[in-house]
Amino acid sequence: IESKNSDLCQKTFFSLYRPRLSYYVNKILRYSTFSKVTKSDLNFNKINENETLSIMSNSKVILDLSQVEQQGMTIRTFEALGLNKKLITTNPHIKQCDFYHENNIFVLERANPTVSESFISSDYHRIPEEVYKKYFISTWLSTVLDESLLEH
């Protein structure tokens, strides 16, 4: 990781689960993103659910790199929302969501992946309770079931 803020780099944890085969294929094909990565830089073991939750709970910001063609939100988006954590995402569609707030969500440009230090250092802005509760699994399930019953 390269950053103008060395303190930030020292406090950064990245987890990307890719199968070992993916690493070797990328190395063989000599993709530039893998040119400096060695096998010893990586751990090919999955992080379990409890470890993931612990890491996310102790984080200030969560990074979500969505698929290029993706338009909907990832589970990481809702995890960040539920944990009241800031989110850096590559999904520009998030700006249309009712929970979007510029203090909480930073849309990273793939061509110029730069995050402002002011976003990192600013406080999380609590979203309205009615918006927050709208994304509880119980609320979502109730809405889906109510709509399903209305159709019949």
Side-chain angles (χ1 to χ4, degrees):
I1 298 171
E2 294 180 26
S3 172
K4 293 176 184 172
N5 183 336
S6 61
D7 185 48
L8 177 63
C9 284
Q10 291 174 359
K11 295 178 181 178
T12 303
F13 173 84
F14 283 99
S15 173
L16 167 66
Y17 178 71
R18 301 284 301 256
R20 190 179 310 253
L21 179 62
S22 172
Y23 166 76
Y24 288 116
V25 168
N26 283 295
K27 283 300 258 190
I28 291 167
L29 297 176
R30 298 179 192 262
Y31 287 129
S32 62
T33 54
F34 280 80
S35 64
K36 296 179 183 177
V37 178
T38 65
K39 186 178 170 190
S40 63
D41 292 329
L42 305 173
N43 177 348
F44 293 103
N45 300 320
K46 291 181 183 181
I47 298 173
N48 71 38
E49 185 178 337
N50 289 336
E51 289 174 287
T52 301
L53 182 58
S54 175
I55 292 165
M56 291 173 69
S57 295
N58 291 307
S59 298
K60 183 172 183 176
V61 182
I62 296 170
L63 177 64
D64 174 48
L65 303 175
S66 60
Q67 300 293 324
V68 175
E69 65 281 349
Q70 184 167 343
Q71 295 193 15
M73 300 304 113
T74 65
I75 189 67
R76 193 71 66 230
T77 301
F78 297 107
E79 290 169 339
L81 179 66
L83 292 168
N84 294 306
K85 300 296 180 179
K86 290 182 169 224
L87 179 72
I88 297 172
T89 182
T90 53
N91 187 344
H93 303 286
I94 201 166
K95 288 185 175 182
Q96 278 74 55
C97 293
D98 57 356
F99 57 81
Y100 175 80
H101 191 282
E102 64 184 9
N103 283 22
N104 300 344
I105 301 171
F106 186 90
V107 177
L108 189 67
E109 295 176 32
R110 289 179 190 272
N112 181 25
T114 305
V115 179
S116 72
E117 297 241 1
S118 62
F119 173 78
I120 302 290
S121 62
S122 66
D123 291 332
Y124 181 86
H125 175 84
R126 260 185 91 77
I127 61 170
E129 194 68 20
E130 64 274 5
V131 174
Y132 182 75
K133 285 184 176 181
K134 179 179 170 182
Y135 294 95
F136 283 16
I137 189 70
S138 57
T139 306
W140 179 84
L141 191 57
S142 176
T143 302
V144 169
L145 290 174
D146 286 348
E147 289 177 6
S148 172
L149 292 173
L150 289 175
E151 291 178 1
H152 290 75

